[in-house]
Amino acid sequence: MAKNHPGNYFEDFRLGQVITHATPRTVTAGDVSLYTALYGSRFAVQSSDQFARAIGYPRAPVDDLLVFHIVFGKTVPDISLNAVANLGYANCRFLMPVYPGDTLSATSEVIGLNENSNRKTGVVYVRSTGFNATGTAVLEYVRWVMVRKRDETAASPGKFVPSLPKLVAAGDIGKACPPLRGAAYDYALGGSIQRFGDYASGERIDHVDGITVEEAEHQIATRLYQNTARVHFNQFTEGQGRFGRRLIYGGHVISLARALSFNGLANAFHVAGINGGRHVAPLFAGDTVFAWSEVIERLELPDRTDVGALRLRLVATKNRPCPDFPDRAGQDYDPSVILDLDYWALMPR
Amino acid sequence: MAKNHPGNYFEDFRLGQVITHATPRTVTAGDVSLYTALYGSRFAVQSSDQFARAIGYPRAPVDDLLVFHIVFGKTVPDISLNAVANLGYANCRFLMPVYPGDTLSATSEVIGLNENSNRKTGVVYVRSTGFNATGTAVLEYVRWVMVRKRDETAASPGKFVPSLPKLVAAGDIGKACPPLRGAAYDYALGGSIQRFGDYASGERIDHVDGITVEEAEHQIATRLYQNTARVHFNQFTEGQGRFGRRLIYGGHVISLARALSFNGLANAFHVAGINGGRHVAPLFAGDTVFAWSEVIERLELPDRTDVGALRLRLVATKNRPCPDFPDRAGQDYDPSVILDLDYWALMPR
Amino acid sequence: MAKNHPGNYFEDFRLGQVITHATPRTVTAGDVSLYTALYGSRFAVQSSDQFARAIGYPRAPVDDLLVFHIVFGKTVPDISLNAVANLGYANCRFLMPVYPGDTLSATSEVIGLNENSNRKTGVVYVRSTGFNATGTAVLEYVRWVMVRKRDETAASPGKFVPSLPKLVAAGDIGKACPPLRGAAYDYALGGSIQRFGDYASGERIDHVDGITVEEAEHQIATRLYQNTARVHFNQFTEGQGRFGRRLIYGGHVISLARALSFNGLANAFHVAGINGGRHVAPLFAGDTVFAWSEVIERLELPDRTDVGALRLRLVATKNRPCPDFPDRAGQDYDPSVILDLDYWALMPR
């Protein structure tokens, strides 16, 4: 039996199969520092134990996207090592805050399979869950990826296309946010006087700043997440491939855009859920990322007067500032657009 | 009201105005590790809890310059986002040691304003203070920057040029250093047998080694400090600007030179104050930094027999070793010089 | 007396001399995070406090090679600052686990001296030991380096060539590994179902993945270890030297290859000893590292039924995948080979 791990091919998956992913990870203050240093994130709740305590957290929680990347990274060797494309995310919910010292582990359940008509590839749908050391789910999301077959003549392992919610349900938003003492939220320290009620549906915000990505940065980030997807690290192979370059992990783009969004959304301190997202185009080292946001909806949460949820579109571009909000143009996107993310952020009311 | 934050322009400042800066920050062992990894600093007091405890600290204090950079970073969005030039520092005093777990916040008071005759810009003088979670000042310094006006026709917001001390006063030196058990200071572990009494006024020391800076390194450092100055991160914009390159944060140069100075000043374990400094020329990625020091003065501190203070000039160059101490030449500097810093360092007696 | 430290030259060493190295270091969770981010290591024992506790550690131990690099780094200013070549390692034994919070210090004893016939250089043999805060040895190894003479006419400081073991003795293997509760070792979380008994002498394993190294990465790593060897950091000087490039620290290559080896040796969780190793060729930024392993021997350890030791050859290449195991060819090596390391790894039985 081969000792090295080739990853799973389409025909290796089974509907209902539950995969325990390797390498649990104790998240530490070191991971948090690196996250800050890689993206420059400035949300006060995640930056300061004192600020977090004042409003009702036991200490500063770990950035939601750092939790996402660590859980996602664990799934890669089993789910997407042989993926051709990462097709989508749905119903991503942050369920419990994560703190330094928590140990994260992850499982994925195969909830859908659909062979492509060329019989060379198939789409695998998984529901991945991250757990803390007590076995409590801290994060759950669905993603679907197109995976190669090892053997094109192999029978399809099944066919089922799950129905997926377009939106994280209101009742699932805010589970990872304890009840806040809103009066203790210091808006000067938060970075803006603008809160939930100051944002309106349809409003667009240019996040102004741009940030250029270096190879060392995205590699350090992606290894921090113990993500082993080959396209991010191996110039020898990628140099002979489609782009001639290492591809930057899509999650790196999400974190850059989220950090940039502080300038305009400073008090949107918590990513409560991700409704969906599309990596419209690849990002490469040397490119400069810009971003803008659109407020899609303002949602008052059931039984919560402390925080409200903004449904936001976060659009990132490369090498193109966003004062005029480059966007979809019919079926296509402006050629500068690299990310179109639809998510829920919490903001004090 | 615009959601994104344009930064303050010259006419937005008022004499006596106190600005609370955003994003308090809990400093952690992760930040300390990154600081070590970015500069290679080797001072024993900051590197080892055991060494620090032996001489009288409760544990290893956070490097003084890391504290400076974090406090400085907080001031950028409010003070210098629209700055044309960072003109100077004065009277920078380290007042309390900072330890991992401390939460730093910062305020700035506007203590001077002076419109330039072209009416396009003005000089803003601020006294910035960093606080720990108990509200105790840990660091205080004055800096002055030339800031653009938003509207050239706007009236000047006032005119007052503060008188600033050329030197940190002797009574202010050493406040962040507890009384040391000098006998417990292990000079072999410290890295040199040379102590306060071994240095003489006028002595010059070549720090020998050189260190080449990469884009990823200075970006990671500057984001670690949550410093948002645009010139450091955005190649798309800077590529079209004056230098065609991203400019490296001046504080990065100070930290590189200070780390290099270990080779010759190994027991100068604490930066007690900065009298002033000049970023003589910009540094860019790919350049190699060298440094040398001059002992300006040896000061016995009032009521302290454990440590003395050396007043040092720390001169950094780029792409030019310093065995012959490249220096000022009349009004100008040797073209290799990038930094001329005047500071107080403590050393065991 | 010169204040800067020129390093020792061959004639400065004495047989039996014991050198206390500078800058003790408290290892923290921040160092561990950086190590993960620099290499992407995925061994469960070092990644998860929960996993480590389940099998019998008090918490996740610090990666063995991080301990090695920190101890090695301390020795550089005294032993190899004037080295022409790092000739070899022997009898490297990990003696106690190291945990975040432990303070490491190091000493070296000169155990051999041998002037070269050209009288310009000599070989220095040292036994270097790393200690924790209680003074207990955590690591001990011999290395020998060719060191320049300051003065070619100086008398040789002595001549003695120590006899060194080709292998770490069986009784010395596993001292840094507490008795494990083998039944609690979760192989799904470990990343492979394969354990000690599944590996056979002579078996070769291709670790498949490749990882491209950037200048910023190896510099950040090598500074994290407070290693001051000049060839790694100074492009100004190295650009004029033999390779025209900065040379990557050999330990960086070892850590990269070890991290890659997870894919095939996922449960070989502990480097118990290093028998010897050779840096066959230099690595430079931009190169892509691949690796393969050969099982040389499978050793049941005296009095231990929980773990066994695999003697492994870990071979790293640059810009050359290893499905066909590029190797020695007579006296020479395949031109792609950069590392040939002979070590003992522990694996659950």
Side-chain angles (χ1 to χ4, degrees):
Chain A
M1 184 179 180
K3 293 299 192 303
N4 54 28
H5 182 71
N8 289 310
Y9 290 85
F10 181 65
E11 64 265 41
D12 297 327
F13 293 97
R14 292 289 172 273
L15 262 178
Q17 180 186 8
V18 175
I19 300 169
T20 298
H21 303 299
T23 310
R25 167 77 163 275
T26 303
V27 183
T28 71
D31 302 322
V32 170
S33 289
L34 266 164
Y35 192 84
T36 301
L38 289 162
Y39 305 107
S41 190
R42 291 185 284 147
F43 296 97
V45 172
Q46 285 77 23
S47 180
S48 165
D49 284 338
Q50 193 182 21
F51 189 96
R53 270 192 213 106
I55 61 171
Y57 284 88
R59 61 184 294 192
V62 172
D63 193 284
D64 307 296
L65 293 176
L66 174 53
V67 173
F68 177 84
H69 298 324
I70 290 175
V71 170
F72 184 95
K74 299 200 178 320
T75 70
V76 168
D78 298 310
I79 306 300
S80 50
L81 213 56
N82 301 306
V84 180
N86 211 353
L87 298 174
Y89 306 102
N91 206 23
C92 174
R93 289 153 294 139
F94 292 88
L95 303 169
M96 283 281 286
V98 172
Y99 300 102
D102 282 356
T103 297
L104 298 179
S105 59
T107 64
S108 294
E109 181 182 355
V110 179
I111 61 166
L113 290 168
N114 193 17
E115 195 179 45
N116 287 311
S117 55
N118 64 13
R119 300 205 57 195
K120 293 182 180 174
T121 56
V123 178
V124 180
Y125 297 77
V126 291
R127 179 187 296 113
S128 297
T129 310
F131 299 95
N132 65 19
T134 67
T136 307
V138 299
L139 169 66
E140 196 167 279
Y141 64 91
V142 173
R143 77 163 162 143
W144 54 109
V145 289
M146 193 185 301
V147 177
R148 270 190 295 274
K149 289 174 77 176
R150 183 191 294 103
D151 171 5
E152 294 179 19
T153 66
S156 167
K159 181 181 171 78
F160 180 76
V161 177
S163 132
L164 296 170
K166 286 241 183 284
L167 285 183
V168 173
D172 280 343
I173 297 170
K175 288 185 171 173
C177 179
L180 297 194
R181 288 185 287 275
Y185 192 103
D186 182 324
Y187 290 85
L189 295 178
S192 165
I193 55 166
Q194 285 144 336
R195 56 180 82 186
F196 182 63
D198 296 313
Y199 290 82
S201 218
E203 187 172 357
R204 291 175 160 206
I205 303 161
D206 173 18
H207 300 308
V208 180
D209 300 309
I211 191 157
T212 306
V213 182
E214 300 293 324
E215 298 282 13
E217 293 169 350
H218 76 85
Q219 292 196 148
I220 286 172
T222 310
R223 284 187 301 242
L224 178 66
Y225 315 139
Q226 295 170 309
N227 178 328
T228 60
R230 291 160 182 167
V231 290
H232 309 314
F233 300 112
N234 184 333
Q235 182 58 35
F236 179 82
T237 302
E238 297 308 311
Q240 301 161 22
R242 178 174 158 209
F243 298 112
R245 318 271 315 262
R246 282 162 277 176
L247 207 57
I248 292 175
Y249 164 49
H252 196 68
V253 178
I254 296 176
S255 281
L256 286 168
R258 165 80 178 151
L260 289 171
S261 79
F262 180 87
N263 192 355
L265 290 163
N267 294 317
F269 65 91
H270 171 47
V271 174
I274 300 175
N275 299 310
R278 185 164 161 207
H279 295 292
V280 177
L283 181 74
F284 301 105
D287 288 337
T288 302
V289 175
F290 296 85
W292 61 275
S293 292
E294 178 177 5
V295 181
I296 306 178
E297 180 183 348
R298 207 171 67 182
L299 179 70
E300 299 188 10
L301 294 172
D303 302 320
R304 292 197 79 149
T305 56
D306 54 345
V307 292
L310 294 182
R311 185 177 163 205
L312 296 162
R313 261 183 84 207
L314 176 58
V315 178
T317 62
K318 60 179 177 189
N319 307 322
R320 164 79 154 82
C322 300
D324 56 344
F325 314 111
D327 201 353
R328 276 187 295 253
Q331 288 295 89
D332 293 329
Y333 277 88
D334 181 282
S336 68
V337 174
I338 56 176
L339 173 74
D340 188 354
L341 191 77
D342 178 340
Y343 75 106
W344 290 106
L346 294 200
M347 213 179 239
R349 293 180 65 170
Chain B
M1 186 178 178
K3 293 301 192 303
N4 54 26
H5 182 71
N8 290 311
Y9 290 86
F10 181 64
E11 64 266 40
D12 298 327
F13 292 97
R14 294 288 172 271
L15 263 178
Q17 178 185 8
V18 176
I19 299 169
T20 299
H21 302 299
T23 313
R25 167 76 164 274
T26 303
V27 183
T28 71
D31 302 322
V32 170
S33 290
L34 266 163
Y35 192 84
T36 302
L38 289 162
Y39 305 107
S41 190
R42 289 184 286 148
F43 296 97
V45 173
Q46 284 78 21
S47 179
S48 164
D49 284 337
Q50 192 181 22
F51 189 96
R53 269 191 214 109
I55 61 171
Y57 285 88
R59 62 185 292 191
V62 172
D63 192 285
D64 306 297
L65 293 176
L66 174 53
V67 174
F68 178 84
H69 298 324
I70 289 176
V71 170
F72 184 96
K74 296 197 181 321
T75 71
V76 167
D78 297 310
I79 306 302
S80 50
L81 212 57
N82 300 307
V84 181
N86 211 354
L87 298 173
Y89 306 101
N91 205 25
C92 174
R93 290 154 293 140
F94 292 87
L95 302 170
M96 284 281 285
V98 173
Y99 300 101
D102 282 356
T103 297
L104 298 179
S105 58
T107 64
S108 293
E109 181 183 355
V110 179
I111 61 166
L113 290 169
N114 193 17
E115 194 180 44
N116 288 310
S117 55
N118 63 14
R119 301 207 55 196
K120 295 183 179 171
T121 56
V123 178
V124 180
Y125 297 78
V126 290
R127 181 187 295 114
S128 298
T129 310
F131 299 95
N132 65 20
T134 68
T136 306
V138 299
L139 168 67
E140 196 167 280
Y141 65 91
V142 172
R143 78 162 159 143
W144 55 107
V145 288
M146 192 185 300
V147 178
R148 270 190 294 272
K149 289 173 78 178
R150 184 190 295 105
D151 171 7
E152 293 180 19
T153 66
S156 167
K159 181 182 172 81
F160 179 76
V161 177
S163 134
L164 297 169
K166 286 239 182 290
L167 285 183
V168 172
D172 280 343
I173 298 170
K175 288 184 170 174
C177 179
L180 297 193
R181 289 185 287 274
Y185 193 103
D186 183 323
Y187 290 86
L189 296 178
S192 166
I193 56 168
Q194 286 145 335
R195 56 179 85 185
F196 182 64
D198 295 313
Y199 290 82
S201 214
E203 187 172 358
R204 292 176 161 205
I205 303 160
D206 173 18
H207 300 308
V208 181
D209 301 309
I211 189 155
T212 306
V213 182
E214 300 294 326
E215 298 282 12
E217 293 169 351
H218 76 84
Q219 292 196 146
I220 286 172
T222 310
R223 282 187 302 241
L224 178 65
Y225 314 140
Q226 296 170 310
N227 179 328
T228 60
R230 292 163 181 165
V231 292
H232 309 316
F233 300 113
N234 184 333
Q235 182 58 36
F236 179 82
T237 302
E238 297 308 310
Q240 301 160 23
R242 179 172 157 212
F243 298 112
R245 317 271 315 261
R246 279 162 280 177
L247 207 58
I248 292 175
Y249 164 49
H252 196 69
V253 177
I254 296 175
S255 282
L256 287 167
R258 164 79 179 154
L260 289 170
S261 79
F262 181 88
N263 191 355
L265 290 163
N267 294 316
F269 66 91
H270 171 46
V271 174
I274 300 175
N275 299 309
R278 186 167 160 202
H279 295 292
V280 177
L283 181 74
F284 301 105
D287 288 337
T288 302
V289 175
F290 296 86
W292 62 275
S293 292
E294 179 177 4
V295 181
I296 305 178
E297 182 185 348
R298 206 172 66 183
L299 180 70
E300 300 189 5
L301 293 173
D303 304 320
R304 294 197 77 148
T305 56
D306 54 344
V307 291
L310 295 181
R311 184 176 164 206
L312 297 162
R313 259 184 86 206
L314 176 58
V315 178
T317 62
K318 58 181 178 188
N319 307 321
R320 164 80 154 78
C322 299
D324 56 346
F325 313 111
D327 202 352
R328 275 187 296 253
Q331 288 296 89
D332 292 331
Y333 277 88
D334 182 282
S336 68
V337 174
I338 55 175
L339 173 75
D340 189 353
L341 190 77
D342 179 339
Y343 75 105
W344 290 107
L346 296 199
M347 212 179 238
R349 293 181 67 171
Chain C
M1 183 178 182
K3 293 300 193 301
N4 53 28
H5 182 72
N8 290 310
Y9 290 86
F10 181 64
E11 64 265 42
D12 299 326
F13 292 97
R14 295 288 172 270
L15 263 178
Q17 178 185 8
V18 176
I19 299 169
T20 299
H21 303 299
T23 311
R25 167 77 163 274
T26 303
V27 183
T28 70
D31 302 323
V32 170
S33 289
L34 266 163
Y35 192 84
T36 302
L38 288 162
Y39 305 108
S41 189
R42 289 184 286 148
F43 296 98
V45 173
Q46 285 77 20
S47 179
S48 165
D49 284 337
Q50 192 181 23
F51 190 96
R53 270 191 214 108
I55 63 172
Y57 285 89
R59 61 185 292 192
V62 171
D63 193 285
D64 307 298
L65 293 176
L66 174 54
V67 173
F68 178 85
H69 298 323
I70 289 175
V71 170
F72 184 96
K74 298 198 179 322
T75 71
V76 167
D78 298 311
I79 305 302
S80 50
L81 212 57
N82 300 306
V84 180
N86 211 355
L87 299 173
Y89 306 101
N91 205 25
C92 174
R93 292 152 291 139
F94 292 87
L95 303 169
M96 283 279 287
V98 173
Y99 300 102
D102 282 356
T103 297
L104 298 179
S105 58
T107 64
S108 293
E109 181 182 356
V110 179
I111 62 166
L113 290 168
N114 193 16
E115 195 178 45
N116 288 312
S117 55
N118 63 14
R119 300 208 54 199
K120 294 181 180 174
T121 56
V123 179
V124 180
Y125 297 77
V126 291
R127 180 187 297 112
S128 297
T129 311
F131 299 96
N132 65 19
T134 69
T136 307
V138 299
L139 169 67
E140 196 167 279
Y141 64 92
V142 172
R143 79 164 162 142
W144 54 108
V145 288
M146 192 185 301
V147 177
R148 271 190 293 274
K149 289 173 78 176
R150 183 191 294 103
D151 170 7
E152 293 181 17
T153 67
S156 168
K159 181 181 171 81
F160 180 76
V161 176
S163 133
L164 296 169
K166 286 240 184 289
L167 283 184
V168 172
D172 281 342
I173 296 170
K175 287 185 171 175
C177 179
L180 297 194
R181 290 186 285 274
Y185 192 102
D186 181 322
Y187 290 85
L189 295 178
S192 165
I193 56 169
Q194 286 144 336
R195 55 179 83 186
F196 182 65
D198 295 312
Y199 290 82
S201 220
E203 186 173 355
R204 292 175 160 206
I205 303 160
D206 173 18
H207 300 307
V208 181
D209 301 309
I211 190 157
T212 305
V213 182
E214 301 294 324
E215 299 281 14
E217 293 169 350
H218 76 85
Q219 292 197 146
I220 286 172
T222 310
R223 283 187 302 241
L224 178 66
Y225 315 139
Q226 296 169 311
N227 179 328
T228 61
R230 291 161 182 168
V231 291
H232 309 314
F233 301 112
N234 184 333
Q235 183 57 36
F236 179 83
T237 302
E238 297 309 311
Q240 302 160 24
R242 178 172 158 213
F243 297 112
R245 317 271 316 260
R246 280 162 279 176
L247 207 58
I248 292 175
Y249 164 49
H252 196 69
V253 177
I254 296 176
S255 282
L256 286 168
R258 165 79 178 151
L260 289 171
S261 78
F262 180 88
N263 192 354
L265 289 163
N267 294 316
F269 65 92
H270 171 47
V271 174
I274 300 175
N275 299 309
R278 188 170 159 201
H279 295 292
V280 176
L283 180 73
F284 301 105
D287 287 338
T288 301
V289 175
F290 295 86
W292 62 274
S293 292
E294 178 177 4
V295 181
I296 306 177
E297 182 184 348
R298 206 170 68 182
L299 180 69
E300 300 189 6
L301 294 173
D303 304 320
R304 294 197 76 149
T305 56
D306 53 344
V307 291
L310 295 182
R311 185 177 164 203
L312 297 162
R313 260 184 85 207
L314 175 58
V315 178
T317 62
K318 59 180 177 188
N319 307 322
R320 164 79 154 81
C322 300
D324 56 345
F325 313 111
D327 202 351
R328 274 187 298 252
Q331 288 294 91
D332 293 329
Y333 277 87
D334 181 282
S336 68
V337 174
I338 56 175
L339 172 76
D340 189 354
L341 190 78
D342 178 338
Y343 75 105
W344 290 106
L346 295 199
M347 212 178 239
R349 293 181 65 173

